[in-house]
Amino acid sequence: MEIHEATRKLSALSQETRLEAFRMLIVQGPDGMAAGDIARRLDVPASTLSSHLSVLENAGLVTSTRIQRSIRYAVDIDGARDLIGFLTEDCCQGHPEICGPVQAASAGICLPRSSGARQ
């Protein structure tokens, strides 16, 4: 990952509602949640949430799928994994075993890399 892409992803996460939504979607995994459910759980107006989710989607951190009149959002596992990898790739001056707690904390998105298909 190039630094400009990492900066874009980190910028998207630098707002409280977006970070809360992203963390909620991490917990949900690839199945994600309907936008209305996210709005209710975060107690955010749907139009405001839509803007926030759009920022996360444009940054490559979430995906959206339209199902009839509803939009379902899910974490972009590869995008999240790439960001964590970028942040930790040079961990501890070449001693990655020290980063064990960091790797364990991110286990929720440390799934086998997909081959283009959503998991």
Side-chain angles (χ1 to χ4, degrees):
M1 171 181 298
E2 297 293 324
I3 197 157
H4 69 276
E5 184 179 350
T7 302
R8 188 170 51 97
K9 289 179 186 307
L10 290 168
S11 177
L13 293 172
S14 70
Q15 196 280 338
E16 187 175 320
T17 301
R18 290 193 295 264
L19 182 57
E20 286 180 320
F22 178 76
R23 293 186 71 207
M24 184 181 300
L25 291 171
I26 286 281
V27 171
Q28 296 301 313
D31 293 335
M33 293 177 71
D37 292 339
I38 299 168
R40 279 187 287 285
R41 285 187 52 189
L42 294 179
D43 194 26
V44 175
S47 60
T48 301
L49 181 68
S50 177
S51 298
H52 289 306
L53 291 171
S54 178
V55 170
L56 291 170
E57 187 169 22
N58 289 333
L61 293 168
V62 302
T63 61
S64 64
T65 305
R66 180 171 289 281
I67 302 171
Q68 296 176 343
R69 296 179 63 195
S70 177
I71 300 177
R72 192 165 193 87
Y73 288 88
V75 65
D76 183 322
I77 293 171
D78 288 339
R81 183 189 305 108
D82 289 347
L83 178 59
I84 290 173
F86 174 82
L87 293 172
T88 60
E89 71 184 16
D90 298 321
C91 181
C92 303
Q93 299 179 357
H95 299 283
E97 66 277 3
I98 297 172
C99 292
V102 172
Q103 293 168 342
S106 64
I109 60 170
C110 290
L111 304 172
R113 183 169 291 283
S114 69
S115 58
R118 243 180 96 193
Q119 297 179 351

